[in-house]
């Protein structure tokens, strides 16, 4: 396995140890409720193995973007409740992640017991990758397991700092993700097609440039597609367009090899407003009514895109093709979900909203790999080694 030769949980003795596990429990929340617990259930194999083999488990994670402040609505407390349910045993929650309270709870923790600490990002030191913060986290444990694939593209204290102060290994979820995504990086079944959408171009620019070099075709739609269409000279009216990325998009479109591989929408669903009940209609690329915005791809684009993915050997999809949360603008994304599920291809989907979309379409069971990492899977498939994984020792070390 060229992409992963990291020391794993089964390579070390865990019995009788206090094990600090960096998990990715950054679950989507709505009004204090967990909307989707995939990231919790996907971490169970690691937690169960450690408990079954005589370890005491101390879990750490971030949730949302509290930006270094204590935000009660981003507390990990609801995660502790759900984790206890799916694990089938009590989970003690401590409302801090460093300090005396945590020290005491960790010291009292017995083998087979589980502790979950508060949101790491309540401290700015986490995202700053502060060595002192990493040292504090490391102080409660004898061993560090990183299983937070969805956070592994970030160089934070809990992903690349803690391992400097503790013997460290890679968890089962990271192993699974890297194995599945690694196959696509090293030897994708061709044609290999990437479907990229979502709200914005800006945070995916580098990845798009790297991925288009690796694929046979790239479909771009959604809000991101609008910026490309605008760069191609179409008047997108009040659509979501990133004006400061137009120059980049024009340059991207000017590259001949990109033009051969790229499929952009050929029609749109335009709406009078960003609202579920707004007046809307299908229109050509140059016919978005004045002051309206494109919120979905149109039926001709759906036919074009569906035909492209139907013949694929590998499909990687990140980012919905429209504002699918509103039914009026979900057709393009739902059709793509169905087409990806039906394709005789290795299918991989990453990204929180993309995953919600395949659930909405009812096809999640027919996708080969639903990655727990959005940015992480995109960066990995763009060919970047993820810092949280690079930081872990190799098997031979
Ligand atoms: P993911 O979470 O899968 O990585 P993103 O977060 O990048 O995806 O983008 C998802 C968001 O993009 C959704 O909330 C969706 O409503 C929005 N979106 C998609 N197409 C459009 C569009 N044409 N106009 C406005 N928003 C859009
Ligand atoms: Mg998202």
């Amino acid at each position: 396995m060229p992409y992963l030769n990291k020391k794993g949980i089964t390579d070390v003795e865990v019995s009788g140890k206090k094990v600090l596990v960096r998990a990715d429990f950054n679950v989507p929340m709505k009004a204090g409720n967990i909307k989707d617990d995939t990231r919790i259930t996907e971490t169970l194999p690691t937690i169960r193995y450690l408990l079954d083999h005589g370890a005491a488990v101390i879990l750490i994670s971030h949730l949302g973007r509290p930006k270094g402040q204590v935000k009660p609505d981003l507390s990990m407390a609801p995660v502790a409740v759900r984790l206890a349910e799916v694990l089938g045993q009590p989970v003690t929650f401590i409302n801090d992640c460093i300090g005396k309270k945590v020290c005491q709870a960790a010291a009292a923790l017995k083998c087979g017991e589980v502790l979950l600490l508060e949101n790491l990002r309540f401290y700015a030191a986490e995202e700053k990758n502060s060595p002192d913060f990493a040292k504090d986290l490391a102080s409660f444990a004898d061993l560090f397991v990183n299983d937070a694939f969805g956070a592994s593209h970030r160089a934070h204290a809990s992903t690349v700092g803690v391992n400097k102060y503790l013997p460290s290994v890679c968890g089962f979820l990271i192993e699974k993700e890297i194995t599945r995504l690694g196959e696509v990086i090293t030897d994708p079944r061709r044609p290999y097609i990437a479907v990229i959408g979502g709200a914005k171009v800006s945070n995916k620019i580098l990845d798009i440039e790297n991925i288009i070099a690796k694929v046979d075709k790239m479909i771009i739609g959604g809000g991101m597609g609008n910026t490309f269409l605008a760069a191609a000279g179409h008047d997108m009216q009040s659509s979501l367009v990133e004006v400061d990325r137009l120059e980049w998009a024009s340059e991207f479109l000017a590259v001949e090899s990109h033009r051969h591989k790229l499929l952009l929408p050929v029609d749109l669903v335009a709406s009078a407003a960003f609202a579920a009940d707004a007046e809307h209609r299908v229109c050509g690329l140059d016919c978005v009514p004045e002051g309206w915005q494109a919120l979905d791809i149109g039926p001709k684009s759906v036919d074009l895109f569906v035909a492209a993915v139907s013949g694929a050997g590998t499909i990687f999809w990140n980012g919905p093709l429209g504002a699918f949360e509103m039914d009026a603008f979900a057709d393009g994304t739902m059709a793509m979900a169905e087409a990806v599920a039906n394709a005789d291809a290795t299918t991989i989907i990453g990204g929180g909203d993309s995953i919600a979309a395949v659930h909405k379409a009812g096809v999640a069971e027919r996708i080969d790999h639903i990655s727990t990492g959005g940015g992480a899977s995109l960066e990995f498939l763009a060919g970047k080694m993820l810092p949280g994984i690079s930081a872990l020792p190799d098997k031979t070390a």
Side-chain angles (χ1 to χ4, degrees):
M1 212 185 312
Y3 273 93
L4 194 75
N5 193 25
K6 297 295 177 187
K7 201 175 271 181
I9 304 179
T10 55
D11 296 324
V12 288
E13 181 59 65
V14 302
S15 174
K17 298 210 166 134
K18 297 212 196 301
V19 182
L20 183 72
V21 179
R22 174 45 160 120
D24 173 18
F25 290 154
N26 182 29
V27 288
M29 304 285 296
K30 199 171 188 181
N33 293 310
I34 295 169
K35 276 202 298 179
D36 181 90
D37 66 3
T38 308
R39 284 178 164 171
I40 299 174
T41 54
E42 286 288 317
T43 311
L44 289 177
T46 290
I47 300 172
R48 287 214 173 103
Y49 177 93
L50 291 170
L51 295 173
D52 290 349
H53 289 79
V57 174
I58 305 163
L59 290 153
I60 49 173
S61 176
H62 78 280
L63 177 62
R65 297 172 190 269
K67 303 217 162 99
Q69 282 171 358
V70 176
K71 295 257 170 77
D73 57 330
L74 292 176
S75 168
M76 302 299 299
V79 173
V81 174
R82 179 64 61 90
L83 176 62
E85 280 166 17
V86 294
L87 192 59
Q89 74 171 73
V91 172
T92 306
F93 172 69
I94 307 290
N95 67 350
D96 206 340
C97 61
I98 52 169
K100 206 168 153 200
K101 248 188 300 188
V102 182
C103 270
Q104 285 168 349
L109 197 71
K110 298 193 189 73
C111 296
E113 293 182 342
V114 184
L115 201 61
L116 174 66
L117 307 184
E118 187 52 290
N119 194 337
L120 293 163
R121 291 194 190 168
F122 283 180
Y123 289 88
E126 158 67 356
E127 290 184 78
K128 284 189 188 137
N129 187 13
S130 141
D132 287 340
F133 186 68
K135 222 183 279 182
D136 282 346
L137 292 172
S139 69
F140 318 129
D142 312 305
L143 175 71
F144 175 60
V145 175
N146 187 0
D147 211 20
F149 178 72
S152 57
H153 58 315
R154 306 281 185 223
H156 294 166
S158 67
T159 59
V160 301
V162 181
N163 55 286
K164 297 195 176 83
Y165 306 102
L166 279 178
S168 304
V169 296
C170 178
F172 293 137
L173 176 57
I174 289 191
E175 276 182 6
K176 174 175 144 187
E177 291 272 10
I178 298 296
T179 303
R180 303 305 293 274
L181 299 173
E183 287 162 9
V184 173
I185 275 279
T186 46
D187 189 19
R189 278 171 63 204
R190 298 204 176 259
Y192 172 15
I193 300 186
V195 182
I196 310 286
K200 286 180 165 183
V201 177
S202 44
N203 44 357
K204 299 182 182 173
I205 280 183
L206 265 180
D207 303 319
I208 292 173
E209 285 177 342
N210 288 319
I211 288 176
I212 200 163
K214 300 183 193 303
V215 298
D216 300 294
K217 265 202 168 51
M218 179 179 269
I219 292 170
I220 296 187
M224 173 178 304
N226 292 341
T227 298
F228 282 92
L229 292 173
H234 302 290
D235 185 351
M236 299 305 288
Q237 294 289 339
S238 300
S239 302
L240 176 70
V241 169
E242 283 170 278
V243 177
D244 55 342
R245 304 295 172 194
L246 283 174
E247 200 181 316
W248 171 81
S250 304
E251 284 166 15
F252 185 91
L253 292 174
V255 177
E256 202 180 323
S257 63
H258 291 174
R259 279 204 307 276
H260 288 311
K261 290 181 178 180
L262 200 59
L263 282 181
L264 288 175
V266 292
D267 60 351
L268 302 160
V269 176
S271 175
F274 191 87
D277 55 357
E279 191 188 345
H280 59 276
R281 70 173 96 103
V282 173
C283 63
L285 296 182
D286 291 310
C287 307
V288 179
E290 198 179 336
W292 285 33
Q293 51 191 298
L295 290 183
D296 196 5
I297 57 170
K300 286 190 188 133
S301 311
V302 168
D303 288 347
L304 181 72
F305 292 177
V306 166
V309 299
S310 302
T314 302
I315 305 167
F316 170 59
W317 183 13
N318 173 285
L321 300 180
F324 75 98
E325 296 90 342
M326 297 181 273
D327 287 341
F329 312 109
D331 289 355
T333 303
M334 294 301 104
M336 180 53 74
E338 193 65 42
V340 172
N342 290 341
D344 182 21
T346 302
T347 52
I348 294 182
I349 291 183
D353 294 294
S354 310
I355 293 168
V358 293
H359 282 293
K360 180 169 174 150
V363 301
E365 281 71 39
R366 293 194 282 136
I367 305 299
D368 292 318
H369 182 59
I370 294 187
S371 174
T372 54
S377 60
L378 196 66
E379 288 192 19
F380 185 80
L381 289 179
K384 242 174 101 177
M385 215 350 157
L386 308 176
I389 296 174
S390 303
L392 295 170
D394 288 334
K395 272 195 197 296
T396 46

